[in-house]
């Protein structure tokens, strides 16, 4: 079953949280004794929008992500484009990836063709704390939710066993 932990919900703080199936969406910063993500389950954050940057941010004494389990922020970064320019840091379409080019972050997104070019890089590749940029919309189009960049995952743990995945990919 899908479950949400809001920023103001402290009922799970200090507890062992076991995600057996479905999706656990966490808003705000939390501190768990342990987080266990079993096969087929995932933990994620809310999508970044034009006014709010969202992150998956929590501390845990121990984290275990089983095979086929995931901490997943895919497609939860900057989204949308205006006149072909994708949304980029700091949550603007100014100088964003253009005309079908992939979104950027620690590296440049791929160019679409001789006209479409990606945004400049931003943030740290070794300590990322910004969402990935949206890709540019082809044909100079405008869209409010499209070409999403990857989200942000920031976790601290005394022990971290990863048999599954940690993902923050751009939408494709």
């Amino acid at each position: 079953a899908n479950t949400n932990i809001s920023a103001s919900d402290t009922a799970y703080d200090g507890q062992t949280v076991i995600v057996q199936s479905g999706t656990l969406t966490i808003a705000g910063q939390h501190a768990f004794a342990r987080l266990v993500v079993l096969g087929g389950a995932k933990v994620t954050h809310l999508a970044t929008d034009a006014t709010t940057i969202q992150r998956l941010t929590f501390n845990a004494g121990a984290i275990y992500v089983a095979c086929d389990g995931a901490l997943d922020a895919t497609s939860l970064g900057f989204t949308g484009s205006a006149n072909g320019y994708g949304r980029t840091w700091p949550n603007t379409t100014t100088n964003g990836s253009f005309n079908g080019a992939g979104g950027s972050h620690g590296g440049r997104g791929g160019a679409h063709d001789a006209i479409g070019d990606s945004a400049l890089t931003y943030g740290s590749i070794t300590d990322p704390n910004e969402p990935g940029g949206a890709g540019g919309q082809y044909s100079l189009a405008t869209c409010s939710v499209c070409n999403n960049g990857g989200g942000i995952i920031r976790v601290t743990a005394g022990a971290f066993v990863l048999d599954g995945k940690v993902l923050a990919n751009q939408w494709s």
Side-chain angles (χ1 to χ4, degrees):
N2 294 338
T3 305
N4 297 314
I5 300 177
S6 70
S8 61
D9 183 353
T10 60
Y12 297 93
D13 289 7
Q15 304 296 313
T16 296
V17 176
I18 301 173
V19 187
Q20 295 180 337
S21 63
T23 301
L24 171 62
T25 302
I26 300 174
Q29 187 162 346
H30 292 275
F32 308 121
R34 288 169 291 285
L35 176 70
V36 178
V37 184
L38 298 178
K42 74 176 181 178
V43 176
T44 191
H45 66 78
L46 298 169
T48 291
D49 59 33
T51 60
T52 305
I53 293 174
Q54 303 285 354
R55 293 173 171 82
L56 177 58
T57 307
F58 64 88
N59 303 320
I63 299 170
Y64 173 67
V65 181
C67 293
D68 295 326
L71 302 181
D72 190 355
T74 296
S75 296
L76 298 175
F78 292 126
T79 186
S81 71
N83 300 316
Y85 288 91
R87 193 164 285 282
T88 191
W89 184 257
N91 210 350
T92 179
T93 56
T94 302
N95 297 320
S97 293
F98 180 66
N99 202 33
S104 298
H105 185 270
R108 300 270 314 249
H112 177 266
D113 55 25
I115 299 170
D117 196 11
S118 60
L120 296 176
T121 62
Y122 57 91
S124 170
I125 60 171
T126 59
D127 191 19
N129 197 31
E130 301 85 9
Q137 187 68 5
Y138 190 67
S139 298
L140 308 179
T142 296
C143 59
S144 60
V145 180
C146 63
N147 308 327
N148 308 35
I152 306 167
I153 299 174
R154 305 281 297 183
V155 298
T156 304
F160 193 143
V161 177
L162 180 64
D163 291 328
K165 298 177 181 176
V166 176
L167 303 166
N169 296 325
Q170 181 175 16
W171 173 86
S172 61

